[in-house]
Amino acid sequence: MRVIVISLILIMLLIACTAADSGKSSTVYFTSDISAEGIMKVFEQVGADVEGKVGIKVHFGEEGNQNFIDPELLRALVEKLEASFIETNVLYRGKRRITETHIQLAKEHGFGYAPIDILDSEGEKEIAVSGKHFKKVTVGSHLDNYDNLVIVSHFKGHGLAGFGGAIKNVAMGMAAIPGKMAMHASSVPDYSPASCISCGACLNECPVNAITLNPLVIDLDKCIGCGKCIGTCPTYTMRVPWGGTDKNVFNERLVEYAKGISDNYKMVYINLLVNISKDCDCSGRAAAPFMEDIGILASTDIVAIEKACLDLINEAHDHETTEVRKLNGGKDQIEYAQKLGMGNLNYKFIDLDKEK
Ligand code: SF4
Ligand code: SF4
């Protein structure tokens, strides 16, 4: 009986806290000045405590992509903070899968003026999180080398999530490959034995001997979802398990990952509303932007900044268009993040262009 009473009190307290939270507000700073000076202007509002060893989390852009953030916009910030660009290797095949070619591509895309640190190049670490999908998140081990992180995100559409902004940049962008696998519905690769040429490459990569050939079989009891076989298979027999992922579940997984990481590392957020297309920067050739650039936002609140970006897009563009409807489909990210206590849906919007 006592346990039931205590549980009821805790539930009531939780409801009260949630209600109180919904009344809180955070501050989001904005400028329409899309330049290195604009970045510095918004950063100065949120970055007073950013010191020590600083990592700037960016997306270097997939090979062939034309919409990623222009690295020159970040040069002054990088130089001021003496920061490194940080990223993680991706799940799918391509240059960004392997550390050496990932760094090479980053340099080709203009990010070579600062140190480039692939966070999972030397392994990964686990962090506890209390979510309904995850009890731990797996991130690149180099994260522990940083005192502060500046999360610089290109806010645009994303095929599955609706939109990709700071939440996705933290979650998918800082997760090591097993974490990326876990967020994408399954911890086991998709595979089609018919296309296997028995080259044995996956066998050499698999750390737990989960694969046998002729016929190709993955032992589900052994597979740890590291994804190594996907990156090494020359015939695309081993594939990322994209299919079958429910959008809302995917977004909840993203949010839980972002929570696990942001609860443990100090972060401020800068979102750029530029080159706003329906596709993410992971696309080899992204769709052309469907609307005018809007500006740059900064906040210490990941929920508020994402909400502000979505609101600005809805104000600036017809929200009945396919593209904006798609971006609005990602609202569940911010609503779930607010529920998990990651920030506020209410925000005070300060337009720095009007504060001269
Ligand atoms: S995902 Fe990793 S553990 Fe699973 S079969 Fe592939 S290489 Fe082996
Ligand atoms: S790497 Fe691909 S093609 Fe080669 S044995 Fe493994 S599944 Fe078959």
Side-chain angles (χ1 to χ4, degrees):
M1 185 64 187
R2 193 161 167 243
V3 172
I4 294 171
V5 171
I6 291 171
S7 301
L8 280 173
I9 291 169
L10 284 173
I11 289 167
M12 287 168 73
L13 273 173
L14 186 64
I15 291 169
C17 288
T18 305
D21 276 348
S22 64
K24 285 186 192 162
S25 97
S26 298
T27 306
V28 178
Y29 299 91
F30 171 80
T31 179
S32 60
D33 176 7
I34 300 167
S35 67
E37 293 74 32
I39 293 270
M40 294 309 293
K41 211 184 309 180
V42 293
F43 174 75
E44 279 159 14
Q45 304 297 322
V46 298
D49 297 332
V50 177
E51 55 189 11
K53 189 155 185 207
V54 178
I56 298 187
K57 172 68 184 73
V58 287
H59 188 307
F60 296 131
E62 192 50 72
E63 187 172 30
N65 186 282
Q66 74 285 12
N67 285 344
F68 60 91
I69 292 170
D70 177 358
E72 287 307 314
L73 291 175
L74 304 173
R75 188 184 280 270
L77 180 66
V78 169
E79 288 174 355
K80 176 186 165 68
L81 299 174
E82 298 180 4
S84 301
F85 288 123
I86 58 171
E87 247 293 22
T88 52
N89 286 322
V90 300
L91 192 51
Y92 47 87
R93 285 170 61 92
K95 283 190 172 174
R96 296 173 62 238
R97 168 78 193 201
I98 309 288
T99 299
E100 291 71 25
T101 49
H102 197 165
I103 292 173
Q104 178 198 332
L105 181 65
K107 288 180 177 172
E108 287 167 15
H109 283 182
F111 292 89
Y113 61 79
I116 294 170
D117 184 2
I118 304 298
L119 297 172
D120 56 341
S121 58
E122 294 185 292
E124 55 229 24
K125 61 168 283 187
E126 292 178 348
I127 303 170
V129 66
S130 179
K132 66 178 169 184
H133 300 286
F134 299 117
K135 298 299 170 216
K136 62 172 189 190
V137 299
T138 310
V139 298
S141 62
H142 285 194
L143 258 180
D144 284 346
N145 297 341
Y146 296 92
D147 301 308
N148 277 280
L149 304 173
V150 182
I151 309 299
V152 178
S153 309
H154 176 206
F155 195 95
K156 71 285 162 193
H158 181 269
L160 185 54
F163 68 79
I167 290 172
K168 182 164 177 299
N169 196 13
V170 172
M172 198 62 76
M174 289 184 169
I177 284 176
K180 289 178 163 87
M181 288 276 281
M183 280 182 272
H184 277 112
S186 168
S187 57
V188 179
D190 279 345
Y191 64 107
S192 330
S195 57
C196 175
I197 56 171
S198 300
C199 69
C202 57
L203 259 64
N204 295 333
E205 286 290 322
C206 183
V208 291
N209 297 321
I211 304 169
T212 49
L213 297 182
N214 305 312
L216 174 66
V217 177
I218 295 179
D219 185 333
L220 304 186
D221 292 330
K222 286 187 183 170
C223 176
I224 55 170
C226 70
K228 289 194 161 99
C229 55
I230 299 170
T232 198
C233 178
T235 59
Y236 297 91
T237 297
M238 300 287 200
R239 296 182 308 277
V240 177
W242 305 117
T245 310
D246 175 86
K247 191 265 294 177
N248 296 77
V249 171
F250 178 68
N251 279 343
E252 286 179 355
R253 289 174 173 160
L254 280 180
V255 170
E256 291 183 11
Y257 249 77
K259 178 167 174 56
I261 300 168
S262 61
D263 278 355
N264 286 277
Y265 298 92
K266 288 167 67 186
M267 300 178 179
V268 298
Y269 307 96
I270 298 177
N271 280 12
L272 283 86
L273 283 169
V274 299
N275 290 336
I276 307 164
S277 81
K278 67 179 181 55
D279 294 331
C280 120
D281 298 346
C282 304
S283 302
R285 180 114 199 124
F290 64 84
M291 62 186 293
E292 295 291 308
D293 292 347
I294 296 177
I296 307 172
L297 299 85
S299 184
T300 55
D301 183 327
I302 195 169
V303 177
I305 195 170
E306 301 280 76
K307 177 75 164 50
C309 284
L310 210 50
D311 289 346
L312 285 172
I313 288 173
N314 278 282
E315 279 167 26
H317 199 73
D318 178 359
H319 35 265
E320 286 309 317
T321 58
T322 312
E323 292 87 354
V324 177
R325 279 215 305 269
K326 179 179 175 181
L327 266 78
N328 282 331
K331 261 187 196 161
D332 50 350
Q333 285 180 53
I334 45 182
E335 288 164 358
Y336 189 51
Q338 189 264 342
K339 270 191 200 154
L340 294 191
M342 293 169 67
N344 298 306
L345 290 169
N346 298 325
Y347 59 89
K348 181 178 177 192
F349 186 80
I350 297 188
D351 184 344
L352 298 173
D353 300 349
K354 294 181 180 159
E355 301 250 317
K356 289 170 186 162

